[in-house]
Amino acid sequence: MKVAILTMFNGLDSTYSLVNVVAEQLRMLLDDNQEPIMLISENCPLDERYGVFLDERIEWRKVVNQINGKQFNWGDYSQPNGKVHDTFFEEADIIADDLIQKLSDIQVCIMHDIHYQGWHLVHNIAVRKAQQELPNLRFIAFTHSAPANRPPNPKFPFSSRYTQMPNTLYVYPTQSGISALSKQYNVPEGLCRVVNNSLDILNYVSDEIKILSKEVDLVTPEIIVVYPGRLTTGKKFEKVAALCGAIKKQCEKTVQVIFCDFPSSDISSKKYKEFIRTQGRSFGLNSGDMFFTSDIKDFEKGFPRKAVLELFSLSNLFICPSYSESFGLTVLEAAAKGNFIVLNQAVPALEELGKNMNSYFMRWDARNFGYDTRETYNPSEEAYLQEHAEIIINKMRENPVIHAKILARQRYSPQWIWNNQLKPMLQFF
């Protein structure tokens, strides 16, 4: 499907928030193998493109913006009545003729503020004229500011800011504005839709995280656990996998466990990894739910510390069942990045840290000062893990910071917005 985005941008400065919204919609379209066409003002300099705007799959079409060698007058006609400049309708006709050509092979055209902004009134009129010659073209009209109050008797051409256009869905970023949106354009609420602005977290991460994101889903899982450390049995990687398996099985959550590991001389990495995976599967994980960063060639010897800290900003649960710790710096790192902390209470250093931070405690085998401890679980370890899995998930759900962090990463991601809000509108047509 060929989808056009009509913005009439004169530039691509990212300080203009709408530029960022459009950039994310382009990524959504490209990720879904759509064929995006960008319609911009002929004055927009393409040599200033950056980021997704450089993608060669995007076709750029410039819309006329001159009359008799002079740039069109984009007067701000935000008032409901008045007088337009002398060449207004001639400009609208010129733009309409150009749009008929530029949109002739398009199935759906997404417009941003074309119907809303007063300085786009000439383009508003032009689009309506062009549509008369393109009866099969469908439009999605975004409004990005608070809808305007509909005046009692708006006069043409000012009435175009308050009038429904055929074959068009009207869109606002939040549900709270839908009623006002329908009143502004005098359109039934059934033809209005919500498309939230999205947060593309992965667009701002380091190269290391981008490499990892090609192997692991860092956005959609409800629970993301990051556990860094030397791949030695003392770190009890398998206990992290086991508890995560219980969370997935008992609480029916999607879980991704990322082990930021590096080799240890006391055990074969290959054998220990297989044991960890086996334990994870036996308690409820799938093989794909567990990933070792050392399986990526660039990170065979370890995942960069700075990238681990960055990864903690995406995760929401940190589990440390370590057999022995002298301090536990990774606990502080995970806590500083807003993770729910679960620690082995039987390790003195972890108990001390955890009490200071109101962490959640469980008990695993541990080394104390001068003696070792061994835990027994009644009726079984599986029952113990499932009981605590439910408590952990409930506490995470009740924690407003953790809840907001999960929601921002998952619910407002470009993937969610595309699959649940924007793409269904394309299919509606």
Side-chain angles (χ1 to χ4, degrees):
M1 176 183 292
K2 281 195 174 183
V3 180
I5 297 180
L6 174 59
T7 66
M8 291 306 297
F9 285 156
N10 282 305
L12 298 173
D13 189 342
S14 62
T15 58
Y16 181 33
S17 60
L18 185 52
V19 170
N20 301 311
V21 171
V22 170
E24 292 194 5
Q25 289 186 356
L26 283 172
R27 291 190 194 95
M28 296 178 198
L29 289 163
L30 292 169
D31 288 345
D32 199 64
N33 297 316
Q34 302 291 335
E35 301 177 51
I37 289 89
M38 274 290 291
L39 273 69
I40 54 174
S41 165
E42 67 175 313
N43 300 107
C44 185
L46 293 183
D47 57 351
E48 295 180 1
R49 287 176 294 173
Y50 56 90
V52 70
F53 296 120
L54 290 169
D55 197 300
E56 294 181 353
R57 294 171 293 174
I58 300 170
E59 182 181 344
W60 295 80
R61 299 179 183 178
K62 290 192 170 186
V63 179
V64 63
N65 194 41
Q66 292 186 23
I67 180 171
N68 299 324
K70 294 183 179 181
Q71 186 170 316
F72 289 155
N73 180 1
W74 293 15
D76 187 4
Y77 298 112
S78 298
Q79 70 275 15
N81 51 54
K83 193 174 182 181
V84 295
H85 59 275
D86 292 343
T87 58
F88 178 90
F89 291 107
E90 185 179 359
E91 292 170 7
D93 287 341
I94 293 171
I95 297 170
D97 289 341
D98 196 32
L99 286 175
I100 291 170
Q101 300 299 318
K102 301 286 169 57
L103 293 170
S104 61
D105 59 339
I106 304 297
Q107 284 76 54
V108 178
C109 178
I110 299 173
M111 300 187 296
H112 288 280
D113 277 343
I114 299 298
H115 279 185
Y116 177 81
Q117 295 291 359
W119 63 75
H120 278 315
L121 184 63
V122 66
H123 303 108
N124 187 340
I125 300 298
V127 167
R128 293 173 187 271
K129 286 178 173 288
Q131 190 190 46
Q132 296 174 11
E133 304 298 321
L134 301 168
N136 295 322
L137 179 59
R138 302 295 185 260
F139 288 85
I140 298 173
F142 276 76
T143 291
H144 292 282
S145 302
N149 291 326
R150 181 179 177 79
N153 293 301
K155 306 299 182 184
F156 184 81
F158 304 93
S159 59
S160 296
R161 294 187 64 237
Y162 309 99
T163 304
Q164 176 185 2
M165 190 171 80
N167 299 329
T168 303
L169 292 176
Y170 285 84
V171 179
Y172 194 69
T174 61
Q175 184 64 46
S176 59
I178 290 298
S179 177
L181 186 77
S182 71
K183 290 176 182 176
Q184 173 175 344
Y185 296 110
N186 197 26
V187 58
E189 287 192 20
L191 291 178
C192 297
R193 298 289 189 275
V194 174
V195 176
N196 304 133
N197 290 344
S198 59
L199 174 63
D200 189 2
I201 293 178
L202 296 183
N203 187 44
Y204 305 100
V205 297
S206 64
D207 290 341
E208 291 86 356
I209 301 298
K210 287 180 179 177
I211 291 172
L212 180 61
S213 70
K214 294 178 181 179
E215 306 291 337
V216 183
D217 185 353
L218 298 176
V219 174
T220 62
E222 295 165 286
I223 304 297
I224 296 181
V225 176
V226 173
Y227 190 53
R230 185 180 297 277
L231 199 61
T232 176
T233 55
K235 292 296 183 182
K236 296 295 180 184
F237 284 75
E238 71 276 10
K239 298 301 182 182
V240 175
L243 179 54
C244 289
I247 289 172
K248 179 175 182 178
K249 183 177 181 180
Q250 186 70 14
C251 305
E252 298 181 344
K253 296 291 182 181
T254 52
V255 179
Q256 180 65 63
V257 189
I258 303 167
F259 295 116
C260 298
D261 62 305
F262 53 97
S264 173
S265 60
D266 60 356
I267 190 172
S268 162
S269 293
K270 183 178 180 181
K271 288 182 179 179
Y272 190 30
K273 285 180 183 179
E274 187 51 44
F275 176 69
I276 295 165
R277 292 189 179 101
T278 300
Q279 287 292 294
R281 289 192 295 265
S282 68
F283 282 93
L285 293 178
N286 295 327
S287 294
D289 298 329
M290 297 168 279
F291 189 83
F292 295 85
T293 57
S294 62
D295 288 342
I296 299 175
K297 187 172 183 179
D298 290 348
F299 310 126
E300 288 178 341
K301 301 301 182 182
F303 199 60
R305 181 180 179 80
K306 187 175 180 180
V308 172
L309 285 169
E310 193 175 2
L311 198 53
F312 274 140
S313 68
L314 299 175
S315 62
N316 50 10
L317 175 60
F318 178 74
I319 304 165
C320 184
S322 181
Y323 185 75
S324 175
E325 292 289 341
S326 61
F327 183 81
L329 186 58
T330 55
V331 178
L332 294 183
E333 294 170 342
K337 296 294 185 177
N339 286 259
F340 187 86
I341 306 297
V342 178
L343 303 176
N344 186 356
Q345 190 175 24
V347 175
L350 295 180
E351 183 181 34
E352 181 181 328
L353 270 177
K355 284 182 177 179
N356 288 337
M357 297 189 297
N358 294 322
S359 301
Y360 185 82
F361 288 111
M362 292 177 64
R363 294 190 70 88
W364 289 278
D365 295 348
R367 172 164 294 162
N368 207 307
F369 296 109
Y371 63 94
D372 295 345
T373 62
R374 185 171 295 277
E375 302 298 323
T376 57
Y377 307 106
N378 292 311
S380 66
E381 182 180 9
E382 181 178 18
Y384 176 79
L385 294 179
Q386 290 179 351
E387 175 188 355
H388 284 278
E390 287 192 2
I391 296 172
I392 290 168
I393 293 303
N394 286 335
K395 285 184 174 291
M396 291 178 68
R397 186 183 298 114
E398 293 166 1
N399 185 309
V401 175
I402 299 292
H403 178 72
K405 183 178 181 180
I406 298 171
L407 205 65
R409 168 175 54 78
Q410 183 189 52
R411 163 62 178 79
Y412 293 98
S413 69
Q415 295 94 319
W416 196 97
I417 301 300
W418 171 254
N419 289 319
N420 294 276
Q421 293 181 335
L422 190 51
K423 187 175 182 178
M425 282 194 291
L426 301 182
Q427 296 170 333
F428 174 83
F429 292 129

